[in-house]
Amino acid sequence: MVMLVFAGAVHAQAIEPMPFANHAQELRFQHLTQQLRCPMCQNETLADSNAPIARDLRNQIFKLMQQGRSDDEIKQYLVARYSDYILYNPPLKTGTVLLWFGPLLILLGGGGVVLVALRKRKRQGVEATTVGESADNGEDW
Amino acid sequence: MNRLLPFIGFMLLVALFGFGIWWNTQHDPNAIPTPLLNKPAPAFNLPKLYEPAQTVSKTDLLGQPYLLNVFASWCIECGVEHPVLEAAAPTLGVKLVGYNYKDAPADAKGWLAAHGNPYALLIADESGQTALDFGVYGAPESFLIDAKGVIRYKHIGPITPDVLAAKLKPAIAAMLKEAP
């Protein structure tokens, strides 16, 4: 916990202060930049990254905010230039269907396999209890 | 059959990981496909590197195709790419335009003096502001732009002899064939 607080303090210093109009805008900026991915270092958010391009994009987002653009408009602005890669939350479209529903498919598939295996074991258990017992011992992992 | 099942499962995993490794050797996982491909290049108006009083705009460059090469003196990979560009420039078939990205003009000029200057025209984007419209996120990056100002091909990272032969030259040839 102490480490977390400390890490936060270091971060706050790594990123240059910006002249926000008010605290709400600052929170909005932080929230928005945390949902966006740095194009140079793709495992970091724009909020966290210290890469020059991340700094430029933060400044640009700040500028667009001062112009009164909404979060969605800012996201659109970035997607038009840097593609969906800039978003940590990928939009649902034909290319990303598998990404969104793949885990559900795997869960259903795995659930099906377990269900079949359980039924099989139950049937075997009814037919011959002694065999079922020894099989259970061998498979308790 | 049942005893073989774990083995088959294991082999499937091996195949999956093997495919992953193969895929990553074929693709640069850090390369972001540009949404600007086959779309008009963004408008720009930037000073020339050697004559900062003069500016060059997108409309100035319409009428003939060019390869816009984003480079900087601080960019190490650009030094890797530079000899390839120098050798290729005379036979490229399109004008080579240098886009000096987030660089101090003095540093850029010093770098070009040391490494050679293959560019027919050099423009400077010291702040990197215009580069955001191009979706530039590093250097080197290269944009092939046709006579109508449409981006036809983009390469992220250094242009190696392989990239030149396998991707850039075919892209240029296809473009010139379509509209000579």
Side-chain angles (χ1 to χ4, degrees):
Chain A
M1 190 60 204
V2 177
M3 284 295 279
L4 261 175
V5 171
F6 185 67
V10 170
H11 260 146
Q13 279 173 358
I15 284 160
E16 67 282 16
M18 284 173 166
F20 289 105
N22 50 48
H23 188 58
Q25 194 183 54
E26 188 175 351
L27 288 179
R28 202 187 126 205
F29 179 85
Q30 280 170 5
H31 181 69
L32 183 61
T33 50
Q34 272 161 13
Q35 296 167 49
L36 298 167
R37 187 206 256 194
C38 165
M40 194 68 206
C41 28
Q42 290 164 15
N43 290 330
E44 281 188 296
T45 64
L46 279 185
D48 288 339
S49 177
N50 222 355
I53 184 67
R55 212 172 307 149
D56 287 355
L57 286 174
R58 280 198 299 272
N59 286 331
Q60 188 65 22
I61 290 167
F62 178 76
K63 253 189 237 170
L64 293 172
M65 271 188 176
Q66 305 310 315
Q67 289 167 16
R69 306 261 206 119
S70 73
D71 285 7
D72 279 343
E73 280 168 346
I74 293 172
K75 280 185 188 169
Q76 269 168 22
Y77 169 94
L78 291 167
V79 167
R81 286 158 179 77
Y82 292 93
S83 80
D84 289 339
Y85 273 61
I86 199 94
L87 305 172
Y88 262 119
N89 206 356
L92 181 57
K93 50 187 196 183
T94 41
T96 57
V97 167
L98 203 61
L99 185 67
W100 275 89
F101 299 108
L104 186 70
L105 280 180
I106 292 170
L107 185 71
L108 287 177
V113 168
V114 168
L115 211 70
V116 168
L118 279 178
R119 277 204 185 144
K120 211 171 172 186
R121 187 174 293 182
K122 214 174 191 177
R123 222 180 301 131
Q124 278 174 351
V126 171
E127 279 164 10
T129 32
T130 43
V131 176
E133 226 177 86
S134 65
D136 273 352
N137 285 340
E139 282 179 308
D140 58 3
W141 49 273
Chain B
M1 185 58 202
N2 261 345
R3 305 189 116 232
L4 271 179
L5 222 54
F7 179 70
I8 292 168
F10 174 72
M11 287 319 283
L12 281 176
L13 277 180
V14 168
L16 183 68
F17 293 147
F19 174 76
I21 291 169
W22 173 81
W23 181 264
N24 275 349
T25 57
Q26 304 296 310
H27 300 81
D28 179 3
N30 293 319
I32 299 177
T34 176
L36 293 170
L37 204 64
N38 296 320
K39 292 200 181 131
F44 58 87
N45 194 26
L46 291 167
K48 288 186 181 177
L49 181 65
Y50 286 104
E51 294 138 288
Q54 288 181 39
T55 60
V56 177
S57 71
K58 186 193 163 188
T59 33
D60 291 338
L61 293 177
L62 288 179
Q64 58 170 318
Y66 55 100
L67 184 70
L68 189 72
N69 178 241
V70 180
F71 78 101
S73 67
W74 46 260
C75 148
I76 298 161
E77 298 274 272
C78 298
V80 175
E81 169 185 84
H82 210 65
V84 181
L85 278 182
E86 275 196 292
T91 55
L92 208 54
V94 294
K95 193 165 146 184
L96 185 58
V97 178
Y99 187 107
N100 189 227
Y101 173 58
K102 283 176 81 81
D103 214 353
D107 290 349
K109 286 174 197 166
W111 192 82
L112 287 168
H115 291 80
N117 179 2
Y119 302 110
L121 174 70
L122 271 154
I123 51 179
D125 182 9
E126 208 177 332
S127 68
Q129 182 70 36
T130 305
L132 294 183
D133 290 338
F134 273 92
V136 168
Y137 62 92
E141 286 186 18
S142 302
F143 296 84
L144 181 63
I145 298 170
D146 70 12
K148 288 177 190 145
V150 175
I151 296 177
R152 302 297 293 267
Y153 172 72
K154 179 186 182 186
H155 181 71
I156 294 163
I159 294 171
T160 60
D162 280 351
V163 171
L164 182 71
K167 292 191 178 147
L168 186 56
K169 287 224 161 157
I172 292 173
M175 181 186 76
L176 293 179
K177 202 173 161 190
E178 193 185 298

